[in-house]
């Protein structure tokens, strides 16, 4: 499922945060918005799009703080399966971790521990696939850029080279290969979180003019 998530996150976050993609598409976006963004310049729009701040709801989190939401859930899951806590303690532990990691605390369980359906649906262990997928996506981006400039492709009218690269290195194999083999074959190395860190620095150092 980490590979599965890597493909959606590649499109949603990697391409969806790309400066050239939005510079190319912003006029069309303004047209679709029917005047709402006509007085917003592209630089302001792009910086606002990648604004980062502490938040309570995982699915509404920005791409920089999103992994922290996953870390919290993963740490809680470990304590559950190691039988280190009682289920009745979970809401308080959840709130404590949000206070520790984000400096904010849910007002109720709806914006706290009950916001995800994963545990209620018995999908324990799934949250980690989001973090793995994000790391896979960043590493795939690094490998892809050895063959082409993604900035140049996204500034053009033809995104097919990106799709074809993914088809060749990932999609054609389906579930016939394990994630470790897929990533190694596609990128020539094992999973390396450094690429995600470097990617985030590139995006947010630019947005915040660091």
């Amino acid at each position: 499922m980490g590979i599965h998530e890597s493909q959606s996150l590649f499109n949603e976050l990697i391409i969806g945060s790309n400066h050239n993609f939005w510079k190319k598409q912003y006029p069309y976006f303004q047209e679709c918005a029917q005047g709402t963004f006509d007085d917003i310049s592209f630089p302001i729009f792009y910086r606002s799009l990648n604004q980062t701040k502490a938040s309570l709801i995982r699915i509404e989190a920005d791409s920089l703080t999103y992994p922290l939401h996953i870390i919290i859930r993963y740490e809680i899951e470990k304590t559950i399966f190691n039988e280190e806590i009682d289920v009745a303690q979970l809401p308080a532990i959840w709130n404590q971790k949000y206070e520790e990691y984000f400096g904010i605390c849910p007002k109720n369980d709806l914006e706290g521990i009950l916001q995800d359906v994963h545990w209620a649906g018995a999908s324990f262990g799934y949250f980690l696939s989001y973090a793995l997928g994000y790391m896979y996506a960043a590493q795939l981006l690094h490998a892809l850029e050895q063959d082409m400039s993604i900035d140049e492709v996204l500034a053009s009218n033809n995104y097919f080279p990106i799709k074809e690269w993914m088809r060749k290195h990932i999609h054609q194999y389906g579930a016939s290969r394990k994630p470790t083999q897929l990533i190694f074959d596609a990128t020539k190395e094992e999973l390396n979180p450094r690429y995600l860190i470097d990617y985030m620095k590139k995006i947010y150092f630019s947005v915040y003019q660091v």
Side-chain angles (χ1 to χ4, degrees):
M1 296 312 295
I3 295 295
H4 167 82
E5 294 296 345
S6 79
Q7 298 307 289
S8 58
L9 290 170
F10 185 90
N11 289 309
E12 294 168 15
L13 299 184
I14 302 295
I15 291 180
S17 295
N18 184 275
H19 182 275
N20 282 15
F21 169 80
W22 276 109
K23 187 174 183 180
K24 176 73 174 179
Q25 300 299 333
Y26 189 52
Y28 178 63
F29 177 82
Q30 287 177 307
E31 180 183 340
C32 292
Q34 299 180 343
T36 303
F37 288 85
D38 285 357
D39 61 340
I40 305 296
S41 68
F42 172 70
I44 292 176
F45 168 80
Y46 182 72
R47 291 179 65 188
S48 299
L49 183 71
N50 289 288
Q51 180 185 19
T52 182
K53 61 181 178 180
S55 61
L56 292 169
I57 307 301
R58 176 184 65 85
I59 61 173
E60 298 175 0
D62 58 82
S63 56
L64 181 63
T65 61
Y66 184 82
L68 292 177
H69 291 266
I70 303 305
I71 289 171
I72 288 173
R73 288 153 175 77
Y74 177 61
E75 290 181 348
I76 290 176
E77 282 187 331
K78 287 198 298 182
T79 60
I80 292 172
F81 281 92
N82 289 335
E83 298 182 348
E84 297 171 354
I85 59 174
D86 186 89
V87 172
Q89 298 174 284
L90 289 176
I93 291 173
W94 179 286
N95 294 350
Q96 177 185 344
K97 286 188 175 293
Y98 266 81
E99 185 75 45
E100 176 185 353
Y101 281 92
F102 289 104
I104 53 180
C105 185
K107 297 177 182 178
N108 52 60
D109 290 343
L110 184 61
E111 62 180 21
I113 196 167
L114 295 181
Q115 66 179 267
D116 295 300
V117 301
H118 297 66
W119 292 339
S123 295
F124 289 94
Y126 191 91
F127 283 116
L128 187 59
S129 68
Y130 295 123
L132 285 170
Y134 204 0
M135 288 187 282
Y136 287 145
Q139 188 161 329
L140 289 170
L141 171 66
H142 175 79
L144 181 150
E145 289 187 320
Q146 308 309 303
D147 296 331
M148 71 187 77
S149 168
I150 192 170
D151 288 337
E152 291 181 5
V153 172
L154 294 177
S156 73
N157 291 316
N158 180 17
Y159 299 166
F160 183 77
I162 297 174
K163 179 181 178 181
E164 178 61 19
W165 193 94
M166 284 295 182
R167 186 201 65 78
K168 177 181 177 181
H169 294 283
I170 302 294
H171 300 165
Q172 69 166 315
Y173 299 110
S176 66
R177 293 186 177 182
K178 292 184 179 296
T180 50
Q181 183 182 356
L182 269 176
I183 290 301
F184 187 85
D185 291 346
T187 68
K188 310 308 178 190
E189 61 179 306
E190 296 177 349
L191 178 62
N192 185 347
R194 183 77 243 173
Y195 294 115
L196 178 56
I197 295 172
D198 290 344
Y199 165 76
M200 288 181 169
K201 284 183 177 180
K202 178 182 177 181
I203 296 294
Y204 285 95
F205 279 20
S206 173
V207 167
Y208 283 90
Q209 302 177 343
V210 176

